[in-house]
Amino acid sequence: MATPVYLLPGDEVPSDRLPPTSNAPLRLGPGLRLLSKSHSRSTKAAPSDHVIVATEAGLLKTDLKRNAASVLTFPNRRYIATPNDLVIAQIHHSSQDYFHCMVTPHAPHALLGQLAFEGATKKTRPMLKQGDLVYARVLSVGVGAGAEVELACVNPATGKAEPGGLGPLTGGMVFDVSVGTAARLMKGSSASAANQQDPVDGLVVLEELGKKLESIGGFEIAVGRNGKVWVDCSNGGDSAIRATVAIGRCLTMIDDHDLSPIDQKKAIARILKEMKLDL
Amino acid sequence: MNPPDNGVASFQPVHRPDGSATYTCPLTGFNVLGAVNAPIELPARRDALKPEEATLEVFVKPATSSPAVGERYVEGILRNLLGAIILGREKGFPRRGVVLTLAVLEGGDSKATGRGSSYLTLLPALLHTALLALLSASVPMSMYFTTTIIAVTPSGEIICKPSIKDADEAASVHVLAFSSKGHLLLTESEGSFDFDTWEKVHDRALTICHLPEEASAGNGKVEYAVGSTWQKWLAESVEDYIGFKYAYEFA
């Protein structure tokens, strides 16, 4: 890989670091904008009248396959709802038509329709109580300030829970991780179906835990983009609770200390040993 | 490493806000903590919000006393300067707020933070902390800025890195801020001086703050002009932190 390009607000993206021009339009991710060069002080002939300028500080990341460029900014940000994100929400209270859910702390409640579940009708709908968890998709975020975030556990077009697994989460336990780590975990799980060899974004924690805990029956995991991870080891028998807590400790530890893949494996081995799970 | 004469910056020292930074000024010893929440709903102020832009709120908390007139004055200066470079019309920002809180943790000299004294010695530290905190909260900005303080002695000598004692004894004290494109964004002066002195101060401050275009054109590892260390310092502080956080991208 070539030397990394760090950008500060107002810096121009060097044109030789962008994906080569092709027929497909270049996609600009967050943190970049297109400006027209109105007063060109340099005398050299510019290839185009436009420059791409950073608006946020960070590391330039280009994706040649998708013909996209974006800026990796400072991590550790509060979760801001975006349509189609998968989140883990907690029911706060329920009203006639909606469940009022907590997605981000210190933010207004998100709305989840009482009938927005797979196979739900007026007669048969999930009776969720305060504190119950749901795995849901962000349907819409509204426009402007003060708008309501709406969630759904079902694809309104097909009536199925798409992608699979949306709906109430029963049993298990929720752990908090940073928003950036949650995004990396999700990216890893979607990519691992295609190719199993390389760790995605430097996270080997789920693969490693899956291997080590296979003997006690494995575990189920759901990752929400809002920085929540739900873990359940209901097959684990006697060691189910210990295994759940161990997985949570591993995730929190790796998140807090930004561990490299080798350190992640060491940390997992140590935590499993402490929890007497290294059978 | 940061050149020690530009001070020490650290990112994300506190976890609750969206972005935060501390900055210690080596000359005056001021240690300032800045925290930014953005974009955030300001429900109590909904009627006062601008319909198409973000509202910027700045709070300065002094080290030893409660905020009063002097703090309102610097808050105004900061709000004007930062309002000019924050892109308040980006997605998600209109009708929401950008709230910046700056707390002076340590004053270099207890006298300097007392009631009624000059704010100019503290101003560069406040401005740099504000910028670092905004960067760490990923608030979109059209450009960044660098700032410096310059004192002129009664004999007309220009001191580029005045201590608090130098500033007290000076005939005039000037704080200037330049954008990364070289625009003059802020000039605050105190004391008696003439236009020629100010021109000299301006030229001197520009060489300290701003990297000439030719040097930055390569945008890679280039030789930085002597004296223009502030932009380099800022870039290195950001690179250190981002490079550490995204180490897995280079694997």
Side-chain angles (χ1 to χ4, degrees):
Chain A
M1 191 182 161
T3 48
V5 178
Y6 294 96
L7 298 166
L8 285 169
D11 285 355
E12 280 179 28
V13 178
S15 52
D16 56 328
R17 298 304 298 270
L18 289 170
T21 20
S22 62
N23 294 333
L26 179 69
R27 291 156 182 266
L28 292 186
L32 292 173
R33 64 172 178 169
L34 189 67
L35 287 184
S36 59
K37 210 182 248 173
S38 52
H39 53 94
S40 179
R41 267 180 285 173
S42 59
T43 48
K44 64 176 179 198
S48 78
D49 295 338
H50 294 92
V51 286
I52 292 166
V53 174
T55 59
E56 293 168 17
L59 177 68
L60 178 70
K61 183 173 176 153
T62 51
D63 187 339
L64 296 178
K65 271 190 212 131
R66 288 182 52 244
N67 204 22
S70 58
V71 175
L72 298 174
T73 58
F74 282 81
N76 246 335
R77 296 173 63 189
R78 180 167 45 102
Y79 174 70
I80 294 169
T82 321
N84 289 327
D85 277 354
L86 297 173
V87 296
I88 294 177
Q90 188 174 27
I91 309 291
H92 183 264
H93 64 273
S94 139
S95 65
Q96 186 75 41
D97 295 329
Y98 292 106
F99 293 113
H100 297 252
C101 311
M102 294 185 289
V103 176
T104 323
H106 317 297
H109 293 153
L111 298 177
L112 169 65
Q114 296 261 9
L115 301 178
F117 293 89
E118 190 180 23
T121 61
K122 287 222 153 144
K123 297 262 169 60
T124 62
R125 58 186 186 190
M127 304 302 264
L128 297 176
K129 294 186 301 297
Q130 183 186 354
D132 284 355
L133 297 167
V134 284
Y135 196 36
R137 194 170 64 90
V138 178
L139 198 63
S140 64
V141 293
V143 180
E148 282 159 342
V149 175
E150 195 172 352
L151 309 175
C153 294
V154 68
N155 183 337
T158 61
K160 294 256 166 54
E162 282 172 359
L166 293 190
L169 297 170
T170 45
M173 192 168 170
V174 165
F175 298 93
D176 287 332
V177 295
S178 71
V179 174
T181 303
R184 282 166 71 191
L185 283 168
M186 291 188 89
K187 210 164 139 199
S189 67
S190 62
S192 64
N195 56 328
Q196 296 260 334
Q197 66 277 30
D198 278 345
V200 177
D201 279 0
L203 276 181
V204 295
V205 54
L206 293 185
E207 286 75 10
E208 188 72 8
L209 282 168
K211 262 185 261 164
K212 300 246 172 166
L213 296 176
E214 210 168 3
S215 56
I216 64 150
F219 60 92
E220 262 192 289
I221 193 160
V223 184
R225 281 299 288 267
N226 54 339
K228 308 246 183 258
V229 180
W230 172 85
V231 182
D232 186 26
C233 303
S234 47
N235 303 339
D238 290 343
S239 45
I241 295 169
R242 269 186 292 141
T244 310
V245 172
I247 294 165
R249 274 184 61 188
C250 291
L251 289 170
T252 328
M253 170 107 170
I254 286 158
D255 182 30
D256 288 348
H257 299 282
D258 297 304
L259 298 182
S260 66
I262 298 159
D263 290 336
Q264 287 174 28
K265 287 187 182 167
K266 279 185 198 156
I268 290 166
R270 200 181 65 239
I271 288 172
L272 291 185
K273 197 172 177 193
E274 279 172 23
M275 306 288 283
K276 298 191 170 57
L277 283 163
D278 53 339
L279 307 167
Chain B
M1 275 312 289
N2 293 330
D5 54 344
N6 283 337
V8 181
S10 71
F11 289 106
Q12 311 277 21
V14 285
H15 295 279
R16 294 276 175 189
D18 294 343
S20 56
T22 56
Y23 171 71
T24 310
C25 178
L27 297 162
T28 51
F30 284 118
N31 183 4
V32 186
L33 169 70
V36 171
N37 275 308
I40 200 166
E41 310 264 341
L42 299 170
R45 304 262 322 268
R46 189 160 288 166
D47 51 337
L49 295 184
K50 287 174 269 179
E52 53 201 20
E53 255 192 302
T55 306
L56 174 64
E57 293 194 337
V58 183
F59 302 100
V60 176
K61 314 269 185 204
T64 49
S65 51
S66 56
V69 183
E71 285 71 35
R72 292 290 103 77
Y73 167 68
V74 276
E75 283 167 13
I77 295 174
L78 286 161
R79 199 162 43 236
N80 283 340
L81 171 56
L82 299 173
I85 62 163
I86 290 177
L87 297 168
R89 297 177 183 216
E90 291 282 292
K91 193 177 164 234
F93 278 84
R95 296 184 62 198
R96 293 201 169 91
V98 176
V99 182
L100 165 68
T101 310
L102 295 164
V104 183
L105 303 179
E106 281 173 65
D109 187 344
S110 59
K111 188 170 146 281
T113 49
R115 177 74 70 231
S117 60
S118 164
Y119 244 98
L120 287 192
T121 46
L122 178 57
L123 196 52
L126 289 176
L127 283 167
H128 277 133
T129 316
L131 177 66
L132 294 166
L134 286 168
L135 288 178
S136 89
S138 299
V139 175
M141 288 185 277
S142 57
M143 56 191 79
Y144 62 97
F145 63 86
T146 47
T147 172
T148 192
I149 180 167
I150 286 181
V152 182
T153 60
S155 58
E157 191 194 341
I158 290 175
I159 307 175
C160 283
K161 292 186 166 142
S163 63
I164 290 180
K165 190 163 158 286
D166 292 335
D168 278 347
E169 292 164 357
S172 65
V173 183
H174 310 261
V175 173
L176 294 96
F178 294 91
S179 79
S180 49
K181 307 262 192 286
H183 313 120
L184 178 64
L185 287 178
L186 171 85
T187 164
E188 289 285 326
S189 304
E190 252 180 33
S192 62
F193 57 93
D194 52 22
F195 278 119
D196 289 343
T197 317
W198 189 86
E199 288 289 348
K200 269 187 231 156
V201 166
H202 171 267
D203 293 348
R204 194 67 173 270
L206 187 61
T207 59
I208 295 171
C209 289
H210 183 59
L211 203 59
E213 196 109 310
E214 303 81 64
S216 60
N219 218 333
K221 295 289 160 207
V222 288
E223 288 299 314
Y224 288 93
V226 183
S228 59
T229 52
W230 276 110
Q231 286 190 329
K232 187 186 173 198
W233 167 80
L234 192 66
E236 281 179 354
S237 305
V238 170
E239 279 170 26
D240 281 353
Y241 189 82
I242 295 271
F244 170 70
K245 280 284 174 185
Y246 287 105
Y248 59 84
E249 287 286 334
F250 311 122

